[in-house]
Amino acid sequence: MIIVFLRDIINEHKDFGKRIFVLAKTELVKTYKGAAIGPLWAVVKPAFQIFVYWFAFSVGLRTLNTVKVEVAGEILKFDRFTFLLVGITPWFFISESITHGAKDIRSHRQYVTKVNFPVSTIMTFSTLSRLYVHFLITFIMFIIISFRVGPSWYNLQFFFYMPIMFLFFVFLSWSTAPMCAFSPDLENAIVSIMSGIFWLTGVIYNSYDLPEPLKTIMLFNPINFFVNGYRNTFLYNRMFFEYKTEFVIFLAEFFIIFLLGVYNYNRLRKKIPDVL
């Protein structure tokens, strides 16, 4: 049954392949329509947040300005701003993908009522529009990091982490968006817990330094996998498969989210037009 549902979703994306990229661009333009600098506002908000953290740790809390990380038996030291910058870069994409991904069907209900429009592509082009912004923010981060710690061929792992992060949150939205179309309370609950999730993820601290059993528990947080992944890529010079336990756990979660996404989407998609 799952295979049949997956085949339908793949066919929908295959038939609307080119249109997905066009709609992603349109979505980005529409979001900032009327603004003087347009989509650049998507960069201004995270830039201001990064500035606030830089000021807090580099000026206000200078005694907490050094982070020590053990990698392959060697102790690496980073200033707090550099450590935070790399960790918070994927967080901006992740938080937007979770909160807005849950709203995708409701906010694009005009497409749901069209008989021939494949609803599954709504979550894809919406997440893709956020990925465009993520590319720009990551590029800016990379420039800053290059001056602070220098570039490395390990940085190419970005092209591993970025696609699987995109797919993971598309699959997640296949579950959350249809369910939120039926229950606005679920949408509100997701928005409400996001600030808490930020602190339960190693964005501003090193999750590998936590005492047991917290350290092991954090390995089951898929968001933490991406935060650590970006630090592996841009700071630690460590391959994604070197921390095998974390990687295997994530692969299992990736597969589960994929199956749940396919199941929930196909279970609810025929009922969605009636609800909206």
Side-chain angles (χ1 to χ4, degrees), residues 174-176 178-179 259-269:
W174 285 355
S175 286
T176 58
M179 289 191 291
L259 291 180
L260 287 175
V262 173
Y263 172 75
N264 283 318
Y265 169 71
N266 284 281
R267 178 173 62 93
L268 300 173
R269 67 174 177 175

Side-chain angles (χ1 to χ4, degrees), residues 179-197:
M179 289 191 291
C180 287
F182 284 85
S183 174
D185 289 333
L186 177 59
E187 179 183 313
N188 293 330
I190 290 173
V191 173
S192 299
I193 66 174
M194 283 309 296
S195 59
I197 290 178

Side-chain angles (χ1 to χ4, degrees), residues 34-201:
I37 61 175
L40 286 178
W41 277 114
V43 179
V44 172
K45 179 182 176 181
F48 178 74
Q49 189 172 346
I50 289 172
F51 168 77
V52 170
Y53 282 114
W54 167 82
F55 184 84
F57 288 109
S58 296
V59 180
L61 300 171
R62 282 173 291 182
T63 57
L64 302 176
N65 203 30
T66 301
V67 179
K68 297 180 181 179
V69 181
E70 183 178 351
V71 178
E74 181 182 358
I75 301 298
L76 304 179
K77 295 182 180 180
F78 305 99
D79 66 88
R80 179 71 63 171
F81 174 71
T82 300
F83 182 82
L84 172 66
L85 177 62
V86 177
I88 206 171
T89 296
W91 169 256
F92 291 131
F93 173 80
I94 291 168
S95 61
E96 290 282 314
S97 295
I98 293 175
T99 55
H100 292 281
K103 305 174 184 178
D104 276 343
I105 289 180
R106 279 189 171 274
S107 59
H108 296 89
R109 63 184 68 195
Q110 71 274 18
Y111 294 122
V112 179
T113 58
K114 292 183 178 181
V115 178
N116 295 322
F117 193 90
V119 178
S120 67
T121 63
I122 293 176
M123 287 72 82
T124 303
F125 74 71
S126 294
T127 308
L128 184 61
S129 70
R130 292 185 281 271
L131 192 67
Y132 292 158
V133 177
H134 179 64
F135 264 118
L136 179 57
I137 294 175
T138 303
F139 177 73
I140 296 172
M141 179 270 288
F142 175 71
I143 297 300
I144 297 173
I145 293 300
S146 295
F147 282 104
R148 287 174 172 260
V149 299
S152 166
W153 69 270
Y154 287 94
N155 301 157
L156 294 175
Q157 288 185 106
F158 168 74
F159 297 102
F160 165 77
Y161 283 106
M162 182 273 298
I164 62 172
M165 184 168 66
F166 169 76
L167 290 174
F168 183 88
F169 290 103
V170 170
F171 297 156
L172 179 64
S173 65
W174 285 355
S175 286
T176 58
M179 289 191 291
C180 287
F182 284 85
S183 174
D185 289 333
L186 177 59
E187 179 183 313
N188 293 330
I190 290 173
V191 173
S192 299
I193 66 174
M194 283 309 296
S195 59
I197 290 178
F198 174 83
W199 296 101
L200 294 174
T201 310

Side-chain angles (χ1 to χ4, degrees), residues 71-72 76 78 145 149-157 228-240 242:
V71 178
L76 304 179
F78 305 99
I145 293 300
V149 299
S152 166
W153 69 270
Y154 287 94
N155 301 157
L156 294 175
Q157 288 185 106
N228 287 334
Y230 271 55
R231 289 191 175 126
N232 285 336
T233 300
F234 295 103
L235 292 182
Y236 303 160
N237 290 341
R238 179 165 56 188
M239 295 300 296
F240 65 88
E242 288 187 35

